[in-house]
Amino acid sequence: MPTRVAERRERRQHGRMRSPPASWYSRPPARAWRCNPPSEAALAFHAGFPGYRPTRLVDAPPIAAELGVGRVLIKDESSRLGLPAFKVLGASWAVARLLARRAGVALPAGLDGLRAIVAGAPVMLVTATDGNHGRAVARMAALVGASSHVVVPSVTAGHTVDAIVAEGATVERIAGDYDQAVKHAAEWVAARPGAELVQDVAWPGYEQVPAWVVEGYATLLLEIDAGLAEVGIPAPDLVVVPVGVGSLAQAVVGHYRSRAAARPAVLAVEPDSAACVLASLHAGELRTVPAGTTVMTGLSCGTPSSAAWPYLRAGLDAAIAVDDAAATMAVDDLAALEVRSGPSGAAALAGARAALTGPGAVARRAELGIGRDSVLVLLNTEGRPRSG
């Protein structure tokens, strides 16, 4: 690993990884922004799931040495409640809250209570996805005895569709991108009584379910707090988060900007072919961009969540776009640390490299407040997908 990292560092110093100026945005005053504390109720709900345990924080000394920081810890979401991504945290909590609201009751304890709700009033759970969220909704539907229908964009890989079908869902592939799949799913639900949309992106008029999804992600962040406390670290100096529509980044910003003592910088990372958050930050308002083809399929989204946008605009320190080559390199280097990441999860490492090394890094490090002793947490949000 050290030899490979050194060789790749040398290649980057010759300009191979250099990004155009539009691929970087920073707002240092973001650390002063404050918001209300998010709900932490989802943690107890997730802790009651069979097989629940916190995902690991992986120490990565070779990466810390490469980035010129004190410590790098990788939150490894390659296996979460039996699925290869963090998405099940948001999907499960949103489904539970949605079923309770649908039945007009308080949230029941455990899966048995949710099954009783569905048994009394059958429901079909519907979502659009580019992979992991749809599989998580399908898994949750199966656990509570509901049916599920998942809409995928045209570029979705066959093995991704197969994994969703294996959870018991029907899958509909449309001739369009992720944004068009979301629109189709919403229209599909509107035409079918008894169907409920479980989407992880918000738009005006559809905010409650995505808000529950974001609440579900709080479990991941509370686990990070506990893991850092175990090794005597009160808070990280920088958290790096891959971004699609921005809901996980919303959860990260909400978690740290609601606490007086913890003021880490937060860096969002997107594919350069689908950098909708970066475009919106540069414009100062929500923007839609064409979502191009990328190996970071879970991040290939053209429009940020309207609910996430106020958090990102006010509380996000920086955003950067990376290319497929950088994400693929990061997959290999994480594998050497026994972190089985997919390209979307490895984008966090690719983004940290792009921000903290290479031409212009001195200024970017200063804007992020990063020095030789800084502690970084990288969110590896998915495991490596099965090919085929």
Side-chain angles (χ1 to χ4, degrees), residues 13-378:
Q13 288 170 344
H14 284 83
R16 183 173 179 228
M17 300 296 290
R18 187 170 187 175
S19 299
S23 293
W24 172 254
Y25 168 92
S26 71
R27 185 178 177 272
R31 260 155 286 179
W33 184 70
R34 287 291 174 267
C35 62
N36 293 325
S39 170
E40 299 181 357
L43 177 59
F45 172 75
H46 292 134
F49 267 62
Y52 167 81
R53 66 176 184 275
T55 56
R56 59 186 187 146
L57 271 176
V58 179
D59 213 345
I63 302 298
E66 178 195 357
L67 299 180
V69 298
R71 199 161 183 182
V72 171
L73 296 150
I74 299 162
K75 181 62 169 171
D76 182 14
E77 293 291 310
S78 61
S79 180
R80 169 67 79 170
L81 292 173
L83 292 175
F86 77 103
K87 291 282 191 175
V88 67
L89 294 175
S92 61
W93 181 244
V95 167
R97 294 295 305 270
L98 178 61
L99 292 177
R101 183 182 70 177
R102 180 182 173 87
V105 299
L107 186 69
L111 293 175
D112 287 342
L114 297 174
R115 292 187 191 107
I117 290 174
V118 175
V123 60
M124 172 175 282
L125 303 179
V126 181
T127 194
T129 188
D130 40 28
N132 289 318
H133 174 72
R135 186 176 178 187
V137 171
R139 170 68 64 87
M140 191 62 186
L143 286 173
V144 300
S147 58
S148 57
H149 182 84
V150 178
V151 181
V152 300
S154 59
V155 297
T156 306
H159 63 84
T160 298
V161 172
D162 291 345
I164 298 171
V165 170
E167 302 292 345
T170 59
V171 175
E172 179 183 4
R173 189 191 294 267
I174 66 156
D177 61 15
Y178 173 79
D179 284 12
Q180 291 167 312
V182 171
K183 182 174 183 290
H184 180 85
E187 292 171 346
W188 199 92
V189 167
R192 288 167 175 81
E196 293 281 0
L197 187 65
V198 188
Q199 202 59 60
D200 56 347
V201 57
W203 58 87
Y206 185 76
E207 288 100 1
Q208 182 59 80
V209 172
W212 287 331
V213 169
V214 173
E215 283 184 5
Y217 297 157
T219 293
L220 183 157
L221 296 158
L222 294 168
E223 290 176 0
I224 291 174
D225 290 347
L228 292 178
E230 288 177 1
V231 294
I233 299 172
D237 298 294
L238 174 66
V239 179
V240 187
V241 53
V243 169
V245 297
S247 293
L248 178 59
Q250 176 188 349
V252 173
V253 169
H255 181 77
Y256 290 110
R257 298 296 178 253
S258 62
R259 298 171 175 227
R263 297 192 180 185
V266 180
L267 170 64
V269 185
E270 298 176 281
D272 59 5
S273 60
C276 60
V277 169
L278 192 60
S280 298
L281 291 169
H282 280 302
E285 61 184 11
L286 275 179
R287 289 289 174 88
T288 295
V289 302
T293 302
T294 173
V295 298
M296 295 167 274
T297 54
L299 309 180
S300 184
C301 305
T303 307
S305 169
S306 64
W309 172 239
Y311 288 79
L312 306 183
R313 179 184 58 202
L316 189 66
D317 296 79
I320 198 163
V322 298
D323 62 20
D324 282 1
T328 301
M329 183 184 297
V331 167
D332 292 342
D333 290 340
L334 289 173
L337 292 167
E338 299 184 351
V339 175
R340 187 176 174 81
S341 177
S344 295
L349 173 55
R353 284 171 161 164
L356 303 180
T357 67
V362 172
R364 292 192 295 271
R365 292 172 75 99
E367 289 169 352
L368 291 169
I370 298 303
R372 302 292 302 184
D373 297 326
S374 295
V375 175
L376 277 58
V377 172
L378 312 183

